[in-house]
């Protein structure tokens, strides 16, 4: 549907019958049918993207066997390079396609990505016979989660055995026949263990624990999502007030500095994947080099550093404003926009670590619910953008009460943006502390495949589970 929607959108901006007639730069109003055709193509693209985005990374990761040591290492690199290609495509679209659309024509601007989609679709169908397809073992995986919660509540007055091995679990033969993986017991959410007294299996209970744990981790990733939204909002608005001249006749669009987030990310990903991961792998014995939550913790720490740098730069900008007596919102502050460069670059480097969120949610999802991991990832981005808009609106309203100067008013030259950066520092610090606490309590998924590959699983896990990390317990 995504490809079909792009074809329709290309036709909408190319064929004369689908777009308003223009004479000497003056265009007529679009007809009802033209508007309907245009919006229909956008809705089809949205529906198609909703089907591909949550599944494309999951499907790609499914091509690797978690119980094969070599494929496990390749899978670690897959997420890095998948995100690398996504950012590279976004950079090409921002720098190349936008220029073509504005200077050559919208038809060619949309025709190029449409052709690329058609080509990728052909390649995908050619490769279909060679792909691994994971067959779902149950019709409704979420039903098991509900059963565990209901059973745990029903058995709430019963006593748990001191030995977890006494809890109900199916024998190994069941897992060999069905092909499902057995999830080993963990001490987290002990109250759910009561569901395994007689109604549910330990594996069912542990899968429910995984989802609950992922929800808690998801909650402490929302504030970092707010920081990611600053690139297209606060940073851009701040840049419009500064000196954007690169030469006597060329002025840099303030939004274009966002490209440095992508560029720094593209430069650091190869270094992370080819240098840092192998180095840390030799030190820790972990195939990923560092645990998933350690990776996220580093990324969130760099985002905190972004707020600190942004606060310092804003203090400098306000000092220049006072020195030059600038009051009007349209007056240019004699301070180069490249002062904002460090926070863009740091945010890009931080993204290299925070993109581990996608891998974390995929890796920790129950076997039959791994597309849920991408849902957590994409929903976190959406909620982060919503929270950013909500935060900006509420801070503006509260800070301007009683005729006081707004922290982030329309005139940034007469506002207190430094206070807002200080506020972001506080909530980012609190969130980082909460994240570290959650990470220390978190128990990684510990599963085995019964039968002929059980030995492979135990060998691999012995190389991973020995290290106890300051951010997150031993990763399995």
């Amino acid at each position: 549907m995504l490809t079909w929607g792009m074809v329709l959108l290309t036709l909408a901006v190319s064929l004369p019958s689908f777009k308003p007639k223009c004479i000497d730069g003056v265009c007529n109003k679009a007809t009802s049918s033209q508007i309907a055709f245009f919006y229909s193509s956008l809705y089809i693209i949205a529906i198609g993207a909703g089907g591909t985005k949550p599944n494309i990374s999951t499907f790609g990761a499914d091509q690797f066997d978690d119980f094969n040591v070599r494929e496990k290492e390749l899978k670690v690199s897959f997420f890095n390079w998948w995100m690398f290609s996504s950012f590279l495509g976004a950079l090409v679209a921002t720098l190349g396609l936008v220029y073509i659309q504005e200077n050559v024509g919208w038809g060619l601007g949309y025709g190029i990505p449409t052709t690329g989609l058609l080509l990728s679709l052909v390649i995908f169908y050619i490769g279909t016979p060679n792909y691994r397809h994971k067959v779902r073992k149950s019709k409704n995986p979420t039903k098991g989660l509900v059963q565990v919660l209901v059973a745990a509540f029903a058995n709430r007055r019963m006593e748990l055995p001191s030995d977890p091995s006494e809890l109900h679990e199916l024998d190994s033969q069941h897992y060999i026949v069905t092909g499902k993986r057995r999830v080993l017991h963990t001490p987290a959410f002990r109250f759910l263990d009561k569901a395994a007294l007689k109604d549910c299996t330990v594996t069912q209970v542990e899968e429910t624990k995984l989802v609950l744990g992922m929800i808690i981790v998801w909650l402490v990733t929302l504030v970092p999502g707010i920081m990611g939204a600053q690139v297209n909002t606060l940073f851009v608005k701040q840049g419009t007030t500064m000196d954007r001249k690169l030469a006597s006749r060329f002025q840099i669009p303030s939004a274009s500095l966002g490209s440095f987030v992508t560029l720094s990310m593209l430069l650091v990903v190869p270094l992370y994947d080819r240098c840092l991961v192998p180095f840390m792998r030799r030190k820790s014995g972990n195939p990923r080099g560092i645990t998933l939550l350690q990776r996220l913790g580093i990324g969130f720490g760099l985002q905190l550093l972004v707020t600190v740098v942004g606060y310092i730069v804003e203090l400098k900008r306000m000092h220049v404003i006072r020195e030059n007596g600038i009051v009007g919102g349209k007056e240019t502050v004699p301070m180069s926009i490249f002062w904002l460069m460090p926070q863009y670059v740091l945010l890009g480097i931080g993204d290299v670590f925070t993109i581990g969120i996608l891998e974390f949610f995929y890796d920790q999802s129950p076997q039959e619910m791994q597309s849920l991991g991408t849902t957590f990832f994409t929903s976190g981005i959406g909620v982060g953008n919503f929270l950013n808009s909500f935060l900006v609106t509420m801070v503006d309203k509260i800070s301007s009460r009683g005729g006081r100067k707004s922290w982030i008013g329309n005139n940034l030259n007469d506002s207190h943006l430094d206070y807002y950066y200080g506020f972001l520092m506080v909530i980012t610090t609190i969130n980082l502390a909460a994240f570290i606490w959650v990470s220390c309590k978190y128990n990684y998924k510990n599963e085995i495949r019964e039968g002929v590959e059980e030995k492979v699983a135990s060998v691999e896990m012995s190389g991973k589970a020995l290290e106890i990390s300051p951010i997150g317990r031993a990763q399995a």
Side-chain angles (χ1 to χ4, degrees), residues 332-370:
T332 300
V333 180
M335 177 178 172
S336 174
I337 193 174
F338 288 105
W339 275 85
L340 300 178
M341 182 77 73
Q343 58 203 61
Y344 279 101
V345 172
L346 282 172
L347 199 57
I349 297 173
D351 282 347
V352 174
F353 292 89
T354 56
I355 58 176
I357 294 175
L358 175 59
E359 185 180 358
F360 171 81
F361 286 134
Y362 171 86
D363 185 78
Q364 296 301 299
S365 296
Q367 180 184 359
E368 309 230 325
M369 300 178 66
Q370 289 187 303

Side-chain angles (χ1 to χ4, degrees), residues 103-362:
N103 296 278
V104 180
W106 289 94
L108 180 62
Y110 282 115
I112 292 174
T114 301
T115 304
L117 275 173
L118 288 169
L119 181 61
S120 63
L121 193 62
V122 171
I123 295 173
F124 176 79
Y125 281 123
I126 292 174
T128 298
N130 300 314
Y131 296 139
R132 286 173 175 166
H133 300 274
K134 288 189 177 180
V135 180
R136 180 177 287 181
K137 307 296 188 305
S138 58
K139 293 182 179 179
N140 187 4
T142 57
K143 183 179 178 180
L145 304 182
V146 176
Q147 286 178 337
V148 169
L149 295 175
V150 172
F153 179 79
N155 301 337
R156 65 188 182 279
R157 300 185 187 280
M158 300 176 67
E159 293 293 328
L160 285 170
S162 57
D163 186 359
S165 63
E166 296 178 23
L167 295 172
H168 175 56
E169 181 59 281
L170 300 174
D171 57 25
S172 300
Q173 189 62 31
H174 168 79
Y175 292 101
I176 294 173
V177 173
T178 60
K180 290 190 65 175
R181 298 172 185 174
R182 182 159 64 92
V183 186
L184 304 181
H185 180 267
T186 60
F189 304 108
R190 286 276 293 167
F191 65 94
L192 291 177
D193 287 345
K194 293 188 176 183
L197 288 173
K198 60 178 181 178
D199 300 296
C200 303
T201 65
V202 171
T203 293
Q204 283 180 287
V205 171
E206 291 302 317
E207 289 179 340
T208 306
K209 291 180 181 181
L210 285 172
V211 174
L212 290 179
M214 289 165 60
I215 291 173
I216 294 174
V217 172
W218 180 79
L219 290 174
V220 292
T221 63
L222 296 181
V223 170
I226 295 175
M227 287 305 304
Q230 303 302 318
V231 177
N232 297 317
T233 54
L234 190 61
F235 290 0
V236 174
K237 193 174 180 181
Q238 191 178 16
T240 57
T241 68
M242 305 173 75
D243 183 8
R244 294 178 285 139
K245 290 182 180 179
L246 189 60
S248 58
R249 295 184 179 181
F250 183 74
Q251 193 173 50
I252 303 172
S254 59
S256 65
L257 281 189
S259 300
F260 286 97
V261 175
T262 306
L263 285 171
S264 58
M265 185 266 184
L266 293 177
L267 290 173
V268 176
V269 163
L271 294 175
Y272 175 84
D273 190 76
R274 297 304 180 199
C275 298
L276 180 62
V277 171
F279 174 77
M280 292 305 300
R281 185 181 291 153
R282 290 192 296 269
K283 295 289 185 180
S284 67
N286 190 312
R288 291 186 173 91
I290 55 178
T291 67
L292 290 169
L293 290 177
Q294 282 177 329
R295 180 176 181 177
L296 294 182
I298 293 171
F300 296 160
L302 287 171
Q303 287 188 341
L304 174 59
L305 186 58
V306 169
T307 63
V308 174
V309 173
Y311 176 75
I312 294 172
V313 171
E314 180 58 20
L315 288 178
K316 170 67 176 177
R317 192 183 74 91
M318 294 187 68
H319 177 71
V320 174
I321 288 173
R322 287 192 296 269
E323 277 191 336
N324 291 270
I326 296 172
V327 178
K330 294 185 178 180
E331 293 184 66
T332 300
V333 180
M335 177 178 172
S336 174
I337 193 174
F338 288 105
W339 275 85
L340 300 178
M341 182 77 73
Q343 58 203 61
Y344 279 101
V345 172
L346 282 172
L347 199 57
I349 297 173
D351 282 347
V352 174
F353 292 89
T354 56
I355 58 176
I357 294 175
L358 175 59
E359 185 180 358
F360 171 81
F361 286 134
Y362 171 86

Side-chain angles (χ1 to χ4, degrees), residues 418-430:
D418 56 328
Y419 291 176
Y420 185 67
Y421 271 119
F423 175 65
L424 287 179
M425 268 195 292
V426 171
I427 62 173
T428 304
T429 302
I430 294 173

